[in-house]
Amino acid sequence: MATLEMEQMISRLQHVPGHEDQIIEMLEGFLEVFPILDVGLFRYSPIGYLTEGVMAIVPENNGLTELSHIRDIRDDIRTVPPVKEAVRERKAVLVKGENFIKYNFRYRFSQNTKFLLFVPICFRNTVIGVLSSTQFSAGEKEIENLLPAITRYGVEIGRIFERPYLKSGDSGLLNSRELEIMYLLSLGESTKSIAKKIHLSEFTVQDYIKSSLKKLGVRNRTQAVADLLRKGIL
């Protein structure tokens, strides 16, 4: 049932205008599809291994939900092993037992929390964000059984954020592989590390970079990344 609801939600998200509205709809959709009562969105950057809070949706006493900003929550994921595991493995992670007691206070948006959930948002081979939930309308076992579907939600969300820049038939836009490599360059990755991460040779990565520079009409990688950032593509 969750799979069908998720597909319907993903389809709906594609037609939401505006980046911020799309993010809010994505968070609300997460709560609609799964037996989860709150959710927080964190940006993630592999430069410094940092997560930074963006916004959260939490339940109120009257049964409604409240949207709040959580920009004061920042962490180096190397100090939070469950988040590091979710990012490294690109899989949703349920935190319980001793780890829950240890990290609950850092990510709790609501009271009566019994376990934590971390879900990576993947932009192709790179994690760009993390969803965190602390309140659930189902038990631990049911949430554990849903982890594969929850992981897929993070992957599909990443594709939604990628899709506007991958229109076919427009030679002025980068293709999916070129965009992926430009994104990794913007994170400070070297040609060698990119090649290893996406399983290509360094020569092939260099060819993609040259092709991207030509399409963008710039001289070097720095100009290419700056141009894509200015346009809001990265």
Side-chain angles (χ1 to χ4, degrees):
M1 187 64 176
T3 300
L4 176 60
E5 292 176 349
M6 179 165 58
E7 290 174 354
Q8 293 172 341
M9 174 57 62
I10 296 301
S11 178
R12 193 171 81 199
L13 272 172
Q14 297 179 37
H15 304 289
V16 176
H19 185 67
E20 185 168 348
D21 289 340
Q22 200 170 52
I23 289 176
I24 294 172
E25 187 77 14
M26 176 265 289
L27 295 177
E28 292 177 340
F30 187 66
L31 302 183
E32 288 181 25
V33 172
F34 301 106
I36 296 172
L37 301 175
D38 66 3
V39 59
L41 172 65
F42 295 81
R43 297 184 186 92
Y44 172 68
S45 171
I47 301 178
Y49 301 94
L50 294 176
T51 55
E52 180 182 13
V54 179
M55 64 179 67
I57 296 179
V58 298
E60 293 184 304
N61 294 331
N62 58 10
L64 301 176
T65 57
E66 177 186 9
L67 180 67
S68 61
H69 292 285
I70 53 172
R71 297 191 182 103
D72 57 326
I73 304 178
R74 300 185 69 187
D75 251 321
D76 181 331
I77 68 168
R78 292 171 294 186
T79 67
V80 190
V83 181
K84 182 180 178 181
E85 179 184 351
V87 170
R88 184 184 67 242
E89 301 296 331
R90 299 185 184 90
K91 293 181 180 179
V93 171
L94 194 64
V95 184
K96 51 190 177 180
E98 292 183 3
N99 277 338
F100 165 73
I101 295 172
K102 188 174 183 180
Y103 301 112
N104 175 38
F105 75 96
R106 299 172 76 165
Y107 287 90
R108 182 177 62 200
F109 314 122
S110 313
Q111 300 300 317
N112 304 317
T113 304
K114 296 181 179 179
F115 45 93
L116 301 174
L117 175 69
F118 296 110
V119 185
I121 299 174
C122 302
F123 189 99
R124 297 184 67 84
N125 290 320
T126 303
V127 175
I128 59 172
V130 176
L131 298 177
S132 173
S133 293
T134 66
Q135 270 203 103
F136 309 85
S137 57
E140 179 183 313
K141 288 296 182 182
E142 184 175 346
I143 298 298
E144 284 185 332
N145 291 335
L146 286 170
L147 287 180
I150 293 171
T151 296
R152 185 187 162 201
Y153 191 88
V155 172
E156 294 297 336
I157 291 305
R159 289 174 179 166
I160 288 292
F161 291 132
E162 175 187 28
R163 191 170 287 116
Y165 312 111
L166 305 180
K167 297 176 182 177
S168 60
D170 188 340
S171 60
L173 294 177
L174 307 186
N175 63 40
S176 59
R177 184 64 86 180
E178 291 166 341
L179 182 60
E180 178 183 19
I181 290 172
M182 287 295 106
Y183 178 75
L184 292 171
L185 285 175
S186 76
L187 298 179
E189 299 274 6
S190 66
T191 301
K192 184 175 182 178
S193 65
I194 291 173
K196 183 177 180 181
K197 180 169 288 189
I198 62 177
H199 309 293
L200 294 176
S201 71
E202 289 185 50
F203 294 107
T204 301
V205 171
Q206 289 171 354
D207 285 340
Y208 276 117
I209 292 172
K210 290 178 183 177
S211 174
S212 299
L213 299 185
K214 184 176 180 180
K215 286 184 178 182
L216 294 169
V218 296
R219 296 181 180 179
N220 54 52
R221 304 177 184 192
T222 302
Q223 290 180 351
V225 169
D227 184 56
L228 292 170
L229 288 170
R230 179 177 56 81
K231 293 176 179 176
I233 294 176
L234 296 181

